[in-house]
Amino acid sequence: MKYTQYFLFTKARPDRAMVKQEWIESVIQNPVKIEVQADDRLRMWGKIEKADNRYLGVVLLEDHETVHNAFLIDLLRNKKGSILWI
């Protein structure tokens, strides 16, 4: 797996340190949602049960292989319980 310098720098931040490589690989292999950004990067999402069922966002560069960003978020839900994607 390839990483940008930005990813390597930010993964040391306290809010990113808990993100495991296996979680990133899991999201890349089985995303629940994929968006193509205007710059042709892919933004992928996957639910991580071992992270209290939070969602992991993974951004791949335009080569669709290099990890540029990975971060956990708590998704908002509407009154019916459906996910309100960011």
Side-chain angles (χ1 to χ4, degrees):
M1 189 171 291
K2 299 187 294 185
Y3 304 99
T4 63
Q5 287 299 313
Y6 173 80
F7 173 82
L8 296 173
F9 177 76
T10 59
K11 80 173 195 172
R13 291 180 9 189
D15 64 325
R16 308 284 172 94
M18 70 177 294
V19 174
K20 300 186 181 309
Q21 182 172 342
E22 65 197 53
W23 297 352
I24 295 170
E25 292 172 2
S26 172
V27 170
I28 292 171
Q29 292 172 1
N30 298 300
V32 296
K33 183 174 182 174
I34 300 175
E35 297 173 341
V36 179
Q37 299 182 167
D39 57 6
D40 202 32
R41 294 178 180 181
L42 295 181
R43 182 179 296 235
M44 313 168 95
W45 302 95
K47 186 176 181 179
I48 307 297
E49 293 180 8
K50 292 182 178 178
D52 298 326
N53 289 318
R54 297 172 75 192
Y55 281 79
L56 180 68
V58 176
V59 177
L60 301 179
L61 292 184
E62 52 279 348
D63 66 1
H64 300 174
E65 294 179 7
T66 305
V67 177
H68 178 64
N69 204 355
F71 49 91
L72 288 166
I73 64 166
D74 295 311
L75 295 181
L76 299 175
R77 295 184 181 271
N78 66 16
K79 291 180 181 177
K80 294 181 179 178
S82 298
I83 296 171
L84 299 174
W85 292 99
I86 301 172

